[in-house]
Amino acid sequence: MSAEIHSDIIKAQQASDRDQPAEAVANEQVVKIWKPYQKVLFRIAFVFFVLMSIPMTGEWYKNIVGINWLHLHYRDLYDIARFQPSLVRFQTPAYNLMGYADWLAVLAVGIAGGLIWTAIDRGKTKNYQTLYYWLRVIVRYRAGIGIIGFGFTKLFPVQLPYPSLGLLNTNFGDLTAQKIYWLSIGIVPWYQVFAGVVEVLAGALLFFRKTTLLGAILLFGALGDITFVNFSYDGGVHVYASYFVLFAAFLIIYDVPKLYNLLILERYTVSNNFYPVISQKWLKYTRVILKVATIWIFLVVLFYIQYINFRYDPYKQPAAKGVKELRGNYNVTTFKINNQEIPYSPLDSVRWSEATFENWSTLTFKVNRPVPLDLSNGGGSPMRDINRTFELTGVGGGQHVFYYQADTVNHVLYLQDKYVASNRRAKGKGKAGEKPKAKSDKKDWIPKEARAHIQDEYAAIDPIARSARRERGIPEELKDKRKRNRMILSYSTTDGNRIILTGINERKDSIYVVLDKVNRQYALKHSKLQAGKY
């Protein structure tokens, strides 16, 4: 054993034998005078990371005030955890590097603030040990709650849903790179669960100072991979993913000298960390209460309501059940338009070639007529089923997706196109170059008699999954008057093997369609771990 290692051991033993609290010993050992450049860098970092860790939009605070804690929706807590700097806003493609403009803006403020702080201090402060400790507390709790909110949507696989029948029937070449990646994870939900476990575990470890390094390493590795994936597949969340990589890197830096000493130089290393001594009782109690409340809300309550969302109200697919006897894949054996039969042709731009009724309230059919490409990936927090568009986003070709409300007494489907042109606005006059918004009908397009037989959308949700957010959000989204393509089709069937649809299509033509069920076999193994109860 070398003399250097022997000396280190003796010092460590002497420290442990002192008749003082361990925290006081640690404090005594690490107190030192920081170099001028270290203090300047810390001041800049302090301003930068504090600004990166606090919400900057009024909408965030409005949501906090509006939460009904007795009837929570998973998105209530998810939105508390999901925010990032928003000083600069650019309307750019999701993969554009200008998404990092907010970081640069915050860094500029941090540099200015750090230099002003330096000018005011003028070298009076010897070090910022205590302030550095509390900055790490802010960063690890911010990263912890953020990644837990992110992770639960994978732990209960709703972020990357198992593909619908319509998506399984889509030609591979009609899918965007982003869609292919999301579906490739969606088809293996247990892998998605594993990714969620890693993210939630990383966040939970960050809540405790003794496990901070392990949590930060997990976070750095997991989100570093997600960042690269999003750059590669044009995923759109590269900025938010790298936000956590940045926070993890900041937390890891604190222990880099010790890790280097232990792993590279192979020297005896004592983890001599600085912890401030909290002597006031009210501060001790406040610390414990805040810690317990954070763990309870983001690990216990969020776990429960995220499970409810997964089971009964998955946010990327409709919650309302579809008409049971209609579900399945169908070949279009007869197709008439305005009483004229159109024979099958893969080149025909009017005739349906195949159709699918999902387990939920969606009809998908193929026509050799391309649809506009929607790159939104079906995200956000829509409260209405018609606005849950994951099954149509990132899909080209001729796949048409319609949401329907069913009058099951008179056997009539009232269908609306789930795609809405992005250049149409629900409110306001719009910008120059936009098409004028079509005047919406003041009357309900569904007859009053039929409406009486259609179940209310909120009532269609399983009672255990109903929330104040859904109850408020559905009427709010109903105010959206953007023009959609519509169809009104009567349906008749005996056992679901053959369905006859008659009525008016989206072009105001009368149509007659005969659908014959086909038992389509997929090479993909069916998974029982799928969101929703239908």
Side-chain angles (χ1 to χ4, degrees), residues 221-472:
L223 273 295
D225 175 65
I226 291 176
T227 300
F228 188 76
V229 161
N230 276 273
F231 273 119
S232 301
Y233 285 90
D234 297 342
V237 293
H238 57 286
V239 177
Y240 191 57
S242 54
Y243 174 78
F244 291 106
V245 174
L246 175 69
F247 276 45
F250 173 78
L251 294 171
I252 291 171
I253 284 173
Y254 181 79
D255 290 296
V256 165
K258 303 167 195 173
L259 294 174
Y260 178 78
N261 198 52
L262 175 66
L263 301 176
I264 305 302
L265 300 182
E266 298 182 350
R267 293 177 177 174
Y268 178 80
T269 305
V270 177
S271 182
N272 204 1
N273 297 320
F274 175 87
Y275 303 132
V277 177
I278 301 176
S279 56
Q280 299 95 325
K281 286 187 176 181
W282 72 272
L283 284 177
K284 288 182 178 179
Y285 293 146
T286 301
R287 174 180 173 273
V288 171
I289 290 171
L290 290 176
K291 190 182 193 76
V292 171
T294 301
I295 293 173
W296 174 258
I297 291 172
F298 290 100
L299 283 178
V300 179
V301 177
L302 184 54
F303 175 91
Y304 173 73
I305 60 177
Q306 184 67 68
Y307 168 75
I308 294 298
N309 181 261
F310 163 76
R311 192 75 179 87
Y312 303 103
D313 187 21
Y315 79 102
K316 282 198 172 181
Q317 63 195 49
K321 300 176 182 179
V323 179
K324 197 166 185 178
E325 59 266 30
L326 301 182
R327 300 175 185 178
N329 289 316
Y330 294 88
N331 283 331
V332 180
T333 52
T334 303
F335 189 90
K336 295 180 181 180
I337 185 165
N338 297 325
N339 296 320
Q340 181 179 353
E341 184 169 354
I342 301 178
Y344 170 76
S345 169
L347 302 178
D348 192 276
S349 61
V350 175
R351 190 189 195 277
W352 299 5
S353 59
E354 59 184 54
T356 298
F357 282 97
E358 304 287 353
N359 289 337
W360 51 83
S361 52
T362 294
L363 165 66
T364 302
F365 57 90
K366 282 187 177 181
V367 181
N368 186 34
R369 185 175 69 248
V371 295
L373 196 59
D374 184 337
L375 297 174
S376 66
N377 205 29
S381 57
M383 296 295 105
R384 293 198 65 211
D385 285 351
I386 193 172
N387 294 323
R388 298 181 176 187
T389 57
F390 182 78
E391 55 198 315
L392 71 85
T393 56
V395 179
Q399 194 85 297
H400 297 255
V401 183
F402 277 71
Y403 160 81
Y404 69 80
Q405 294 170 281
D407 175 357
T408 54
V409 174
N410 297 307
H411 294 166
V412 180
L413 302 178
Y414 295 87
L415 303 104
Q416 297 183 77
D417 198 336
K418 296 193 80 169
Y419 175 82
V420 183
S422 60
N423 65 348
R424 292 174 182 164
R425 292 169 172 258
K427 298 178 182 179
K429 297 180 180 179
K431 295 182 179 180
E434 288 186 344
K435 296 180 181 179
K437 186 184 72 172
K439 293 183 179 180
S440 59
D441 298 330
K442 293 183 179 180
K443 294 182 180 180
D444 189 353
W445 71 289
I446 299 177
K448 186 176 180 180
E449 297 77 12
R451 181 68 73 181
H453 300 145
I454 296 173
Q455 188 177 22
D456 177 74
E457 189 170 351
Y458 183 70
I461 305 169
D462 193 286
I464 196 172
R466 294 173 190 169
S467 63
R469 188 184 185 104
R470 270 283 235 164
E471 190 173 19
R472 293 192 307 263

Side-chain angles (χ1 to χ4, degrees), residues 324-331 495-499 515-519:
K324 197 166 185 178
E325 59 266 30
L326 301 182
R327 300 175 185 178
N329 289 316
Y330 294 88
N331 283 331
D495 55 5
N497 287 320
R498 168 166 284 195
I499 299 172
L515 305 176
D516 285 313
K517 181 170 284 188
V518 54
N519 185 18

Side-chain angles (χ1 to χ4, degrees), residues 23 33 41 47 108 171 193 206 216 255 262 356 387 429 525:
E23 290 180 341
I33 298 176
L41 289 176
V47 177
N171 296 329
V193 170
L206 291 176
D255 290 296
L262 175 66
T356 298
N387 294 323
K429 297 180 180 179
K525 184 179 178 181

Side-chain angles (χ1 to χ4, degrees), residues 2 6 37 44 46 55 65 112 151 172 193 216 241 257 301 368 377 455 464 476 485 497 500 503 515 530:
S2 67
H6 182 69
Y37 79 87
I44 293 172
F46 184 87
V65 174
F172 187 83
V193 170
V301 177
N368 186 34
N377 205 29
Q455 188 177 22
I464 196 172
E476 188 64 28
N485 292 325
N497 287 320
I500 298 176
L515 305 176
Q530 296 186 37

